[in-house]
């Protein structure tokens, strides 16, 4: 087979250019640290790397949403803690107000103290997250959710909760109406009240003795005093019950259909007390307003003071229980956020690993390959130089 000199030149030059391309590709891989720098390098690996990058970006975006929720819930938990501390101060003040030796002026001073605490509570309820979003604004409101109007505090926020845009349903606000404006009255199950109390008797908040026996009815405890003997009869929704003409013993609990309440002091003839089902209409601010109004009322008897204090403390305890329950739910949300963060971290790590496996370079192998490519390129250069001299004209020119 006859091989021309030009063919030999072209073949050597082609091999030299191929070696140079391979060396350049190996050098690029070493410089970037990636085996796949463009889709044409390895289409299948490039596709895997692209899918892994998309999953990683989704995880990063999800983490930003989770971080926003975590910040809001942390601030909410702190606000509820502050509110609980303030209400505990109110409770201590109400207990002090039950001191029989206090004068009307001293009780008014305590009312003023509760008034200042109330102002702080309104500020806590209207607390924002620093970015213009109110923690207790519900599903969104451009204004503070609680307005301290002449007739009391009203809620102007939205219902429900605003959530972050994420695959996980995580809140960035809470329903302030539910937390601050919908506490149970009385002891949470029933409300004990004095309808007529001309004697020295007052009723406590009562308690449940048998939840399965509750009927949801309204009960009236009516007293009768004849010849110095005090008895009581109980009516259910206005109808007589089996407890008629029962002898009354001060300080002994009166029980009816799973409920018990204690009446202290000495009831007068025709005095009446009621046990009515609790409602979710008790607000934090109405509770304080009533306590303030009671403490500012002068010339009350010891019985009236004891009754109002018992009522106000019972309502305050329910308000505090509602805030405590809300704080617990926020804490559970924060725990869930920690779990979501852990899952997103795992997803990001898995995506980075998959992307690395698809496109990253094995540096040890690449350095060895680069050295081989460089040696081959040097050999090609020498071979080309030698081929260039294999010409008849070189011999003719001496």
């Amino acid at each position: 087979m006859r091989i021309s000199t030009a063919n030999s030149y072209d073949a050597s030059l082609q091999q030299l250019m191929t070696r140079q391309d391979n060396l350049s590709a190996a050098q690029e891989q070493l410089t970037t640290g990636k085996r796949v720098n463009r889709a044409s390098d390895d289409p299948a690996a490039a596709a895997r790397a692209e899918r892994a990058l998309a999953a990683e970006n989704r995880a990063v975006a999800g983490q930003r949403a989770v971080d926003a929720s975590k910040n809001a819930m942390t601030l909410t938990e702190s606000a509820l803690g502050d509110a609980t501390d303030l209400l505990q101060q109110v409770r201590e003040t109400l207990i002090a107000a039950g001191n029989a030796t206090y004068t009307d002026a001293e009780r008014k001073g305590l009312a003023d103290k509760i008034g200042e605490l109330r102002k702080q509570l309104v500020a806590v309820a209207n607390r924002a997250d620093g970015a213009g979003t109110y923690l207790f604004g519900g599903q969104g409101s451009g204004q503070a959710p609680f307005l301290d109007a002449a007739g009391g505090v009203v809620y102007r926020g939205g219902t429900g909760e605003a959530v972050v845009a994420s695959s996980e349903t995580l809140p960035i606000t809470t329903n302030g109406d539910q937390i601050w404006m919908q506490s149970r009255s009385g002891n949470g199950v029933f409300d004990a009240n004095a309808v007529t109390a001309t004697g020295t008797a007052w009723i406590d908040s009562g308690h449940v003795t048998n939840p399965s026996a509750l009927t949801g009815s309204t009960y009236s405890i009516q007293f009768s005093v004849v010849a110095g003997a005090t008895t009581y009869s109980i009516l259910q929704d206005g109808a007589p019950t089996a407890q008629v003409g029962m002898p009354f013993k001060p300080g002994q609990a009166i029980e009816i259909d799973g409920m018990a309440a204690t009446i202290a002091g000495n009831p007068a003839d025709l005095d009446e007390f009621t046990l009515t089902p609790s409602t979710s209409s008790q607000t934090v601010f109405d509770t304080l307003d009533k306590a303030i109004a009671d403490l500012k009322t002068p010339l009350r008897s010891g019985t009236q003071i004891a009754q109002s204090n018992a009522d106000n403390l019972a309502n305050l305890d329910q308000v505090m229980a509602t805030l405590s329950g809300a704080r617990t739910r926020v804490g559970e949300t924060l725990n869930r956020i920690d779990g979501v963060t852990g899952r997103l971290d795992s997803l990001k790590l898995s995506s980075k690993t998959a992307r690395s496996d698809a496109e990253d370079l094995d540096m040890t192998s690449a350095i060895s390959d680069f050295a081989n490519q460089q040696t081959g390129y040097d050999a090609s250069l020498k071979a080309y130089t030698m081929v260039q001299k294999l010409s008849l004209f070189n011999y003719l020119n001496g």
Side-chain angles (χ1 to χ4, degrees):
M1 182 175 65
R2 180 177 179 275
I3 300 176
S4 67
T5 302
N7 189 355
S8 180
Y9 285 167
D10 289 343
S12 298
L13 184 60
Q14 185 63 40
Q15 287 296 323
L16 181 62
M17 292 176 64
T18 300
R19 290 284 187 177
Q20 189 175 23
D21 287 343
N22 292 339
L23 181 62
S24 177
Q27 186 177 16
E28 182 184 19
Q29 288 180 343
L30 282 175
T31 302
T32 61
K34 293 184 179 296
R35 183 179 64 85
V36 180
N37 288 290
R38 56 188 64 85
S40 59
D41 293 341
D42 187 340
R48 292 200 307 272
E50 190 65 27
R51 287 194 297 268
L53 178 60
E56 182 181 349
N57 288 338
R58 287 195 299 271
V60 171
Q63 187 60 56
R64 285 197 294 268
V66 170
D67 290 341
S69 178
K70 183 175 183 179
N71 178 65
M73 291 299 99
T74 300
L75 292 174
T76 301
E77 194 276 336
S78 177
L80 290 172
D82 292 343
T84 299
D85 292 341
L86 291 170
L87 288 175
Q88 183 59 39
Q89 294 182 51
V90 173
R91 193 177 196 285
E92 293 170 359
T93 303
L94 284 177
I95 292 174
N99 191 326
T101 64
Y102 274 24
T103 64
D104 288 342
E106 288 173 321
R107 289 193 175 86
K108 183 179 181 302
L110 294 177
D112 293 338
K113 178 182 177 180
I114 295 176
E116 292 301 317
L117 294 172
R118 179 186 180 281
K119 292 178 182 178
Q120 296 181 53
L121 279 167
V122 174
V124 170
N126 283 327
R127 190 172 291 179
D129 63 357
T133 300
Y134 293 98
L135 300 177
F136 302 103
Q139 289 188 347
S141 174
Q143 57 190 356
F146 294 93
L147 175 64
D148 195 358
V153 174
V154 295
Y155 182 71
R156 302 184 297 175
T159 58
E161 297 176 339
V163 298
V164 295
S166 170
S167 57
E168 301 280 350
T169 304
L170 297 173
I172 53 174
T173 64
T174 53
N175 188 346
D177 184 50
Q178 188 178 39
I179 295 173
W180 297 84
M181 310 295 281
Q182 295 184 24
S183 295
R184 303 286 292 177
S185 60
N187 59 24
V189 178
F190 63 91
D191 199 353
N193 292 297
V195 177
T196 305
T198 58
T200 61
W202 60 277
I203 190 169
D204 67 0
S205 59
H207 61 278
V208 175
T209 59
N210 184 3
S212 62
L214 297 174
T215 63
S217 299
T218 296
Y219 295 87
S220 299
I221 305 174
Q222 298 178 347
F223 284 89
S224 174
V225 180
V226 178
T230 303
T231 59
Y232 66 90
S233 299
I234 298 180
L235 282 68
Q236 180 180 5
D237 294 330
T241 65
Q243 298 188 48
V244 177
M246 306 296 293
F248 172 69
K249 296 180 180 179
Q252 180 176 326
I254 296 175
E255 298 188 17
I256 179 70
D257 291 345
M259 299 179 293
T262 301
I263 296 177
N266 295 308
D269 189 35
L270 301 181
D271 277 358
E272 181 179 356
F273 300 85
T274 59
L275 305 180
T276 58
S278 294
T279 61
S280 298
S281 58
Q282 190 74 26
T283 77
V284 173
F285 310 104
D286 286 349
T287 299
L288 300 189
D289 289 341
K290 181 179 182 302
I292 292 170
D294 288 346
L295 291 175
K296 287 185 176 180
T297 302
L299 304 177
R300 291 186 301 162
S301 65
T303 301
Q304 291 173 323
I305 293 173
Q307 185 65 72
S308 67
N309 263 27
D311 293 344
N312 292 330
L313 282 170
N315 290 330
L316 184 63
D317 286 343
Q318 287 304 308
V319 164
M320 295 178 68
T322 301
L323 263 65
S324 177
R327 191 177 183 184
T328 299
R329 291 192 296 273
V330 171
E332 292 170 351
T333 300
L334 287 171
N335 288 336
R336 186 156 58 93
I337 287 173
D338 290 340
V340 173
T341 299
R343 291 194 294 273
L344 289 175
D345 288 342
S346 297
L347 177 59
K348 285 189 288 186
L349 178 59
S350 175
S351 300
K352 287 180 179 178
T353 301
R355 185 182 176 193
S356 176
D357 291 343
E359 66 180 11
D360 282 1
L361 187 67
D362 182 348
M363 295 301 293
T364 302
S365 175
I367 292 172
S368 176
D369 182 59
F370 179 77
N372 291 335
Q373 295 288 350
Q374 194 171 32
T375 300
Y377 181 62
D378 290 341
S380 295
L381 283 174
K382 291 177 182 180
Y384 181 68
T385 302
M386 294 174 64
V387 169
Q388 274 189 321
K389 296 178 181 179
L390 297 178
S391 171
L392 178 60
F393 295 104
N394 288 342
Y395 285 101
L396 292 178
N397 290 333

